[in-house]
Amino acid sequence: MELINATAFVTGANRGLGREIATQLLGRGAKVYAGVRDPAALDLPGAVPVQLDVTDAASVQRAAEVANDATLVVNNAGIYTRERFLDGDTDLIHREMEVNYFGPLAVIRSFTPVIEANGGGAFLNILSVVSWFHPVDFGPYAAAKAASWALSNATREELAPRGIAVSAVHVGFLDTEMVAHLEGIPKLSPGDVARTALDGLAKGENEILVDDFTRSIKASLS
Ligand SMILES: NC(=O)c1ccc[n+]([C@@H]2O[C@H](COP(=O)([O-])OP(=O)(O)OC[C@H]3O[C@@H](n4cnc5c(N)ncnc54)[C@H](OP(=O)(O)O)[C@@H]3O)[C@@H](O)[C@H]2O)c1
């Protein structure tokens, strides 16, 4: 996909990886809508702030009506609650699925007619190595990312006839607030990950495996 003339909508663009992706898309010549929960607090020069909570279907639909020239949507917003399956808080486990799986599904459903009407384009879904690797402390989060892997694969087939590609980014730990509590482990720079993700998207890759660990886990599946 050509990014220079793209109009992108990035969810969770105010911080972390989403902010890097939005910044680099602007740098590559795209128009960028920043989908954020609190537009008044956004500090991202050049981007157009749009209110968005991915768990609120009406907010997602309104965002799709505002960003009606979008050709690329980056499903980046996500949470990691640190809950486990057996002793974790049930409401938080549900919330993890709402934000990380039902959120992207709502975004895909609302933005598909928009991208199609604009002549086609792509969804870029930010997933994780834990789509395929399920350590105890990441159980519910991993379940949501595994579900979003299935979502990415099935919608890729469903959307191809409508001229819309679906790329999924899988990656290990990033140096963002999400895992700031995990010390003493290597973490990737969000800037490097954003670059690899956008390069993969530009090349039309369906699945973008960012780091060696993620590649080795994926290779071990078969
Ligand atoms: N960090 C990692 O190690 C890692 C590894 C692999 C994949 N990922 C994935 O990468 C993506 C970005 O994560 P990150 O590391 O950049 O995390 P982050 O720094 O914690 O940022 C999360 C972003 O998601 C937004 N968000 C959360 N809930 C939302 C909701 N209901 N509606 C709209 N926006 C919402 C946040 O907005 P607020 O500021 O309003 O909370 C924030 O912009 C996520 O999908 C994550 O699962 C992260």
Side-chain angles (χ1 to χ4, degrees):
M1 172 177 195
E2 199 171 319
L3 299 178
I4 190 162
N5 291 319
T7 297
F9 187 97
V10 182
T11 73
N14 53 308
R15 60 188 171 96
L17 180 61
R19 185 187 169 80
E20 282 294 337
I21 290 174
T23 303
Q24 292 190 24
L25 280 166
L26 286 165
R28 292 180 190 220
K31 174 179 174 181
V32 174
Y33 291 99
V36 294
R37 288 198 283 192
D38 182 4
L42 181 72
D43 175 21
L44 191 59
V48 181
V50 178
Q51 204 285 329
L52 175 84
D53 183 326
V54 297
T55 64
D56 174 355
S59 143
V60 174
Q61 187 53 37
R62 273 195 305 275
E65 285 160 18
V66 170
N68 60 9
D69 53 344
T71 56
L72 166 66
V73 173
V74 183
N75 268 312
N76 163 81
I79 56 167
Y80 166 44
T81 65
R82 306 192 218 170
E83 301 300 304
R84 295 176 171 213
F85 278 124
L86 293 188
D87 57 6
D89 181 287
T90 307
D91 288 345
L92 287 178
I93 291 172
H94 280 251
R95 176 87 187 155
E96 210 147 38
M97 204 53 117
E98 289 294 336
V99 176
N100 296 340
Y101 167 62
F102 287 109
L105 172 58
V107 169
I108 289 170
R109 290 176 71 133
S110 287
F111 274 90
T112 286
V114 172
I115 299 178
E116 188 177 26
N118 292 325
F123 288 99
L124 180 67
N125 298 334
I126 308 301
L127 305 184
S128 168
V129 66
V130 302
S131 312
W132 311 301
F133 168 63
H134 308 138
V136 172
D137 287 337
F138 289 82
Y141 172 82
K145 291 298 185 184
S148 286
W149 182 46
L151 171 69
S152 300
N153 292 339
T155 53
R156 183 175 303 121
E157 204 171 317
E158 215 174 340
L159 290 173
R162 300 172 74 166
I164 303 176
V166 177
S167 291
V169 177
H170 298 265
V171 62
F173 288 123
L174 303 185
D175 193 4
T176 64
E177 279 177 54
M178 182 173 277
V179 291
H181 61 288
L182 298 176
E183 292 171 357
I185 52 163
K187 295 177 189 172
L188 299 160
S189 125
D192 290 345
V193 173
R195 198 167 304 111
T196 304
L198 294 179
D199 286 347
L201 175 69
K203 281 188 246 162
E205 291 174 7
N206 287 339
E207 206 156 71
I208 300 158
L209 309 182
V210 175
D211 53 304
D212 287 343
F213 181 57
T214 299
R215 282 188 285 274
S216 72
I217 291 289
K218 178 77 197 287
S220 73
L221 286 182
S222 54

